[in-house]
């Protein structure tokens, strides 16, 4: 509803919703005296209050309720929706139909329940549409995301990221088709309602799908270039932190291709400004990343220098740790773990998901330790003290390798949701790695206890020198 990306409007997750800090279509409509109405859950109501004149707050759907419950909610919601639509003849009415998402979380998008929920949502839209005079009203139907087959969203999967957008009625050019971005929805609503573009919008009115004259089309493009220039100026100044970063892209372009190019130039300049700020912050993070990465290397190097550990033991532990970390990463998909929020279909599964990650890392580290101990015992005939040392060193090297990875990702990409959204894949992987390294790091001394049974149960091969 704002046309802004999440890092600019600041509401990057479903948690902790607050009134949006950027302009949105509800606010613009109210500023022009148009009536606004919203039927949605309490979180969505929070985002747009106080610019919603008539609000119907829908109950939050429990993700584990039986499908019949959802359908009952959909039925009562349809009444609310119809009432809101009748009440506002001109203006902006937004209706959230949540049953499809609930069914996705409950049973996954490959389920019969999901198909049924989608069909019922279709029916609900059809009934609402039949009550509209599409000669005067415009109907815009879209979704905020899809679901993977087993249920879940939040990650970058194509079936999660791609949604349909269907427009019909007044102002819409029948038969127009094409691709667009979700940020284009708000500017398109602005165009349909005759409102200014939302100030932080990064989208464009879908003029090719609107029944407007060529001249008006050009006007909209020009207005978009103007809006974007003003936004880019503030955005780049804010990114650079010094308050002066005039946008260089001009709005003097006359024809359509030039206007499009100007918009693209503006996007590129903003991307460059983002990259410059990230580069600057990377330099600031470097000492902290080194402070994470270097101590474990110093500890292992120091132990070696002090003669507390032999060179070949360190080599064996290091090799086993590399194999163990590779095993951990290789088994992530087998354990149903992915670097994507989509893999955690329900909030209440998050703790179990993280526990599974820690268990997997412990199992992979145990395999690495067992391999190293088996080798040391058979080939070197190592005694219990050497075995204990090799076990701890292997676990420490395992945790150290993950720490190196964590430090690198922290330095290179940053993982905290701040002024920009971190790369989803890497940020999610970062937190899984941190948990894995904590589990293995803390369990390190326990691995040393395995030395005793190994020394009793595994016999050295005949060729190994006695120790
Ligand atoms: Zn959802």
């Amino acid at each position: 509803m704002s046309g802004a990306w999440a890092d600019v409007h600041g509401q990057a997750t479903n948690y902790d919703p607050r009134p949006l800090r950027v302009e949105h279509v509800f606010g613009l409509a109210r500023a022009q005296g148009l009536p606004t109405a919203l039927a949605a859950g309490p979180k969505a109501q929070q985002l747009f209050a106080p610019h919603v004149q008539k609000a119907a707050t829908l109950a939050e759907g429990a993700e584990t309720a039986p499908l019949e419950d959802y359908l009952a909610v959909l039925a009562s919601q349809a009444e609310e929706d119809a009432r809101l639509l009748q009440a506002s003849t001109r203006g902006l009415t937004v209706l959230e139909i949540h049953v499809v998402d609930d069914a996705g979380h409950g049973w996954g998008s490959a389920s019969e329940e999901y198909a049924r929920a989608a069909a019922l949502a279709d029916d609900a839209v059809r009934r609402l549409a039949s009550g509209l005079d599409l000669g005067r009203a415009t109907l815009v139907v879209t979704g905020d995301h899809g679901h993977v087959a087993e249920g879940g969203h939040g990650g970058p999967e194509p079936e999660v990221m791609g949604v349909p957008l269907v427009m019909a009625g007044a102002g819409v050019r029948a038969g127009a088709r094409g691709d667009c971005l979700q940020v284009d929805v708000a500017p398109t609503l602005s165009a349909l309602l005759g409102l200014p573009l939302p100030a932080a919008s990064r989208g464009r009115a879908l003029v090719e799908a609107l029944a407007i004259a060529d001249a008006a089309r050009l006007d909209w493009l020009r207005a978009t270039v103007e809006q974007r220039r003003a936004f880019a100026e503030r955005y780049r100044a804010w990114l650079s932190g010094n308050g002066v970063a005039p946008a260089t892209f001009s709005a003097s372009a006359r024809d359509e291709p030039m206007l499009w190019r100007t918009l693209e130039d503006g996007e590129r300049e903003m991307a460059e400004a983002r990259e410059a700020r990230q580069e600057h912050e990377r330099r600031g993070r470097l000492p902290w990343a080194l402070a994470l990465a270097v101590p474990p290397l110093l500890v292992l190097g120091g132990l070696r220098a002090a003669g507390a550990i032999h060179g070949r033991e360190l080599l064996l532990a290091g090799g086993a740790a590399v194999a163990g970390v590779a095993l951990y990463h290789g088994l992530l998909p087998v354990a149903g773990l992915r670097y994507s929020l989509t893999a955690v279909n329900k909030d209440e599964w998050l703790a179990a998901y993280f526990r599974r990650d820690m268990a997997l890392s412990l199992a992979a580290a145990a395999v690495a330790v067992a391999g190293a101990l088996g080798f040391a015992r058979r080939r070197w005939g190592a005694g219990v003290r050497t075995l204990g040392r090799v076990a701890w060193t292997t676990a420490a090297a395992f945790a150290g390798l993950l720490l190196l990875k964590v430090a690198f990702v922290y330095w290179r990409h940053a993982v905290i949701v701040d002024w920009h959204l971190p790369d989803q894949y890497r940020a999610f992987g970062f937190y899984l790695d941190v948990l894995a390294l904590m589990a293995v790091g803390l369990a390190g001394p326990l691995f040393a206890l395995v030395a005793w049974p190994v020394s009793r149960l595994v016999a050295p091969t005949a060729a190994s020198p006695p120790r």
Side-chain angles (χ1 to χ4, degrees):
M1 297 305 289
S2 67
W5 293 119
D7 51 2
V8 168
H9 67 55
Q11 189 68 48
T13 67
N14 286 345
Y15 315 115
D16 185 29
R18 58 224 141 143
L20 281 187
R21 290 171 300 186
V22 297
E23 254 179 20
H24 49 74
V25 187
F26 281 105
L28 291 167
R30 283 307 296 140
Q32 303 248 330
L34 296 184
T36 56
L38 172 65
K43 288 175 179 171
Q45 297 287 1
Q46 279 235 294
L47 295 179
F48 304 112
H51 304 283
V52 174
Q53 234 180 344
K54 291 200 177 72
T57 303
L58 312 175
E60 290 271 316
E63 288 175 348
T64 46
L67 184 65
E68 302 312 318
D69 287 14
Y70 294 132
L71 303 185
V73 168
L74 185 66
S76 75
Q77 188 187 330
E79 286 169 32
E80 294 267 16
D81 290 349
R83 234 193 337 270
L84 277 187
L85 272 181
Q86 277 157 15
S88 50
T89 46
R90 180 173 168 268
L92 174 70
T93 302
V94 176
L95 313 171
E96 180 189 26
I97 299 180
H98 212 256
V99 67
V100 185
D101 183 51
D102 287 335
H105 285 294
W107 296 276
S109 70
S111 66
E112 230 167 84
E113 286 85 354
Y114 190 79
R116 211 169 134 203
L120 284 160
D122 271 354
D123 279 347
V125 171
R126 199 173 295 123
R127 269 199 304 279
L128 292 168
S130 69
L132 290 174
D133 172 8
L134 288 177
R136 296 194 312 133
T138 314
L139 182 66
V140 179
V141 182
T142 191
D144 54 351
H145 59 75
H147 269 270
V148 291
E150 59 271 28
H153 60 82
E157 300 78 8
E159 62 270 47
V160 167
M161 299 281 281
V163 293
L165 170 71
V166 180
M167 302 195 290
V172 175
R173 179 180 296 184
R177 288 175 159 271
D179 293 325
C180 65
L181 296 173
Q182 236 160 21
V183 288
D184 298 333
V185 173
T188 303
L189 293 177
S190 275
L192 285 164
L193 287 162
L195 301 171
L197 290 159
S201 164
R202 295 291 278 279
R204 59 184 189 87
L206 299 168
V207 284
E208 66 277 22
L210 301 183
I212 53 174
D214 283 354
R217 218 177 128 111
L218 261 184
D219 284 347
W220 266 105
L221 254 179
R222 258 185 224 117
T224 307
V225 170
E226 267 309 319
Q227 174 266 326
R228 203 62 50 83
R229 188 165 65 145
F231 172 76
E233 200 156 324
R234 290 182 62 186
Y235 185 57
R236 292 171 66 221
W238 176 76
L239 281 178
S240 69
N242 59 15
V244 276
T248 52
F249 69 109
S250 81
S252 63
R254 282 280 161 264
D255 62 342
E256 213 175 309
M258 263 180 86
L259 284 163
W260 285 122
R261 256 202 315 281
T262 308
L263 268 185
E264 279 165 25
D265 288 349
E267 284 299 321
R268 202 181 43 248
E269 282 170 17
M270 283 190 267
E272 283 164 5
R274 273 175 68 99
E275 187 44 45
R277 164 126 180 213
Q278 270 167 319
E279 201 51 61
H280 175 78
E281 292 189 350
R282 241 171 243 143
R283 281 195 290 276
R285 284 195 299 270
L286 188 60
W288 299 101
L290 289 175
L292 273 180
V294 171
L297 296 176
L298 287 181
V299 168
L300 289 178
L303 286 174
R304 170 75 194 97
I309 189 163
H310 299 283
R312 66 172 187 177
E313 291 171 16
L314 202 55
L315 216 61
L316 174 62
V322 168
V325 169
L327 182 70
Y328 162 68
H329 283 101
L331 287 180
L332 282 171
V334 180
L337 297 165
R338 269 182 295 149
Y339 288 0
S340 167
L341 206 52
T342 301
V344 190
N345 185 18
K346 297 174 184 174
D347 286 352
E348 59 266 34
W349 291 358
L350 205 59
Y353 193 81
F354 288 153
R355 278 199 299 273
R356 205 170 344 140
D357 171 56
M358 292 163 86
L360 176 67
S361 66
L362 282 172
V367 169
V369 167
L373 292 191
F375 184 93
R377 178 72 183 153
R378 282 176 176 283
R379 304 293 287 271
W380 301 341
V384 69
R385 283 182 55 186
T386 305
L387 291 175
R389 215 158 47 222
V390 168
W392 178 83
T393 315
T394 304
F398 188 107
L401 284 171
L402 283 177
L403 191 60
L404 279 181
K405 187 181 164 207
V406 159
F408 176 79
V409 173
Y410 165 73
W411 164 70
R412 189 83 194 98
H413 303 285
V415 287
I416 315 286
V417 179
D418 186 7
W419 62 272
H420 78 298
L421 294 182
D423 176 282
Q424 252 240 22
Y425 173 82
R426 295 199 178 85
F428 207 74
F430 174 89
Y431 290 109
L432 291 184
D433 285 344
V434 167
L435 290 171
L437 98 83
M438 270 168 43
V440 176
L442 292 175
L446 293 178
F447 283 121
L449 296 179
V450 185
W452 186 76
V454 168
S455 72
R456 300 294 300 264
L457 298 173
V458 179
T461 52
S464 25
R467 284 191 58 148

